[in-house]
């Protein structure tokens, strides 16, 4: 029980502090801890090993025990949340040298970083791909709780934050941060000082409003608290003129200050459905901007996100769906809603005489192959070279992205002979079970 009390008495600052007074015999060196200091401490406590200090880094940790017996018990444990445990010998017990070398390595890694993006784990690859297409290179991916922090190299960090906030596809899933990797600091107090200095430089006066955004998000409260009382600017939770950014990477705090993105402009566009952003993304990937003069067929159109995206780009649209269209979308010029299933629309002759430059299909069907069949059935109505965007919705999805890619592959294969330049994408705005194929109708 005494052990538990020792454990609870340890404050976080204590855990983080580098201690140099450790008796070597009571200290273990752990390589590659997979959890943070607090969790390491809980792990040993749960096995009855009394810990008095933990010094955890990404690549190593020192754990100091109350007695040799505790250290020995810890050494005998198997399958801890770290790769290997050794008694700290003289060579590796030089904590300051080890810590200094780790810090230097961390600084070298951060040197090229000019920005960051916080994204859900499931979206990290897709967001990185979209950012790469815009010239923002991902240098490293850090784990931050259930999220990921992409560390980026970008030419203009201020423009990056504004541009990413204004990107309708990214705005909903990603928090952009401007970060200067040249000047990492070691603790939250130094980070707050750094931010304060940057803000005073950038501020136009006491009425300049500042919003704080951080990775992890919970850090924002601490930074904000430390900035309270500043007179050169005013902290504001809502609309701001400047944004202060801080990200923690391993033990380094990386900071940046930028003009706040225009929130009016950055606010997610009001659309008939969130599916709007899927088609926007697919059209971006296809390199299609303008659709003026194009005639589009939208199968499974309700409530109307895809139809709206097509209209926004200048196309006229035949929207087929037994469901209702959003009223304001349905009332826009250039829309004709055929309120039937696609088979019925064809069989009833509703598409007679129609020839389309664009075919899109987002129908929810019994089987993904039905979407391919729907495209084939519309062949007489498609112009050669017509743009095709077709959602493959797996009806038996797997948990992993790679497995779902594999399950979608047979349907992509069926589409390849029909389309030129067929490419299958897992869109940022799509669920894990959905892939989107983009290509050009080959015609006959
Ligand atoms: C995910 S929703 C489409 C969302 C739409 N793309 C948007 O942007 O709002 C799927 C739609 O497929 C429609 N659907 C299912 N089977 C259909 C069929 N055989 N013919 C036409 N539409 C169908 C459903 O009525 C439903 O509205
Ligand atoms: C090790 O680092 C600590 C904290 O930075 C410092 O106080 C201490 O003097 C250093 N010890 C040695 C032997 O350099
Ligand atoms: C219909 O779509 C518009 C955008 O075109 C949107 O503002 C509105 O909220 C939608 N209506 C409904 C009922 O979802």
């Amino acid at each position: 029980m005494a052990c538990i009390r020792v454990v609870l008495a340890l404050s976080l600052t204590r855990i983080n502090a580098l201690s140099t007074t450790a008796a070597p015999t009571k200290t273990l060196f752990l390589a590659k801890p997979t959890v943070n200091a607090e969790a390491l401490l809980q792990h040993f406590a749960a096995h009855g090993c009394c810990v008095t200090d933990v010094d955890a880094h990404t690549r190593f940790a020192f754990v100091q025990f109350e007695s040799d017996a505790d250290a020995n018990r810890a050494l005998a444990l198997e399958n801890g949340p770290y790769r290997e445990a050794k008694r700290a010998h003289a060579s590796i017990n030089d904590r300051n040298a080890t810590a200094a070398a780790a810090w230097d390595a961390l600084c070298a890694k951060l040197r090229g970083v000019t920005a960051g993006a916080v994204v859900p784990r499931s979206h990290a690859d897709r967001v990185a791909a979209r950012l790469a297409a815009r010239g923002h290179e991902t240098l490293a991916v850090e784990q931050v709780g259930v999220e990921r922090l992409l560390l980026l190299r970008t030419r203009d960090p201020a423009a990056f934050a504004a541009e990413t906030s204004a990107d309708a596809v990214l705005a909903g899933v990603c928090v952009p941060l401007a970060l200067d990797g040249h000047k990492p600091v070691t603790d939250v107090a130094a980070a707050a000082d750094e931010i304060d200095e940057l803000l005073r430089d950038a501020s136009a006066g006491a009425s300049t409003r500042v919003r704080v955004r951080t990775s992890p998000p919970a850090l924002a409260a601490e930074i904000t608290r430390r900035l309270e009382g500043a007179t050169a600017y005013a902290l504001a939770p809502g609309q701001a003129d400047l944004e202060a950014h801080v990200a923690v990477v391993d033990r380094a705090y990386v900071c940046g200050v930028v003009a706040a993105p225009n929130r009016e402009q950055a606010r997610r566009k009001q659309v008939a459905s969130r599916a709007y952003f899927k088609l926007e993304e697919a059209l971006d990937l296809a390199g299609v901007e303008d659709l003026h003069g194009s005639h589009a067929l939208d199968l499974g159109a309700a409530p109307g996100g895809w139809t709206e995206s097509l209209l926004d780009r200048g196309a006229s649209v035949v929207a087929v769906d037994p469901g209702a269209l959003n009223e304001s979308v349905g009332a826009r010029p250039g829309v004709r809603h055929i309120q039937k299933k696609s088979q019925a629309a064809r069989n009833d002759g509703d598409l007679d005489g129609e020839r389309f430059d664009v075919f899109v299909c987002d129908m929810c069907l019994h089987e993904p192959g039905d979407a391919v069949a729907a495209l084939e059935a519309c062949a007489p109505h498609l112009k050669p070279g017509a743009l095709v965007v077709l959602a493959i919705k797996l009806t038996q999805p797997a948990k992993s992205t790679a497995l779902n890619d594999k399950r979608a592959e047979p349907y992509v294969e069926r589409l390849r002979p029909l389309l030129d330049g067929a490419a299958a994408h897992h869109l940022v705005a799509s669920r894990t079970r959905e892939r989107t194929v983009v290509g050009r109708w080959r015609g006959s």
Side-chain angles (χ1 to χ4, degrees), residues 202-291:
S203 170
S207 61
T208 302
R209 295 159 303 174
V210 172
R211 192 157 76 114
V212 178
R213 306 192 88 176
T214 61
S215 165
L219 176 64
E222 172 75 8
I223 297 285
T224 304
R225 193 178 59 72
R226 286 171 182 270
L227 296 177
E228 265 162 23
T231 50
Y233 49 85
L235 295 165
Q239 178 66 56
D241 307 301
L242 295 175
E243 276 196 3
H245 297 159
V246 183
V248 185
V249 179
D250 193 353
R251 305 195 122 201
Y253 290 73
V254 192
C255 307
V257 164
V258 286
N262 182 334
R263 283 186 122 195
E264 271 319 309
Q265 187 195 324
R267 183 162 299 153
R268 275 200 125 180
K269 185 174 152 64
Q270 289 296 304
V271 289
S273 71
R274 288 180 54 84
Y276 179 97
F277 300 107
K278 292 195 299 179
L279 187 58
E280 287 287 294
E281 207 183 333
L283 294 174
D284 284 354
L285 286 165
V288 174
E289 270 177 35
D290 187 63
L291 288 173

Side-chain angles (χ1 to χ4, degrees), residues 7 41 58 114 118 143 154 166 255 258 263 334-335 337 374 376 387 394 407 413 416 418 433:
V7 167
L41 200 145
T58 305
T114 56
V118 181
Q143 186 171 339
T154 166
C255 307
V258 286
R263 283 186 122 195
V335 188
H337 183 197
E376 287 170 324
L387 175 70
L394 296 172
R407 290 192 184 172
E413 286 308 314
R416 283 193 200 285
L418 304 175
R433 62 170 63 185

Side-chain angles (χ1 to χ4, degrees), residues 15 26 32 34 39 53 60 64 85 90 113-114 126 130 161 181 194 231 304 344 367 386 395 411 413-414:
I15 293 167
K26 297 181 199 166
K32 286 246 178 193
T34 52
D53 197 9
F60 64 90
Q64 191 181 305
V113 171
T114 56
R126 289 177 274 164
R130 188 167 173 91
E194 169 74 14
T231 50
E367 203 266 304
T395 37
Y411 307 106
E413 286 308 314
R414 275 181 64 188

Side-chain angles (χ1 to χ4, degrees), residues 18-20 94-97:
L18 275 175
S19 161
T20 53
D94 186 355
R95 291 198 194 184
N96 284 17

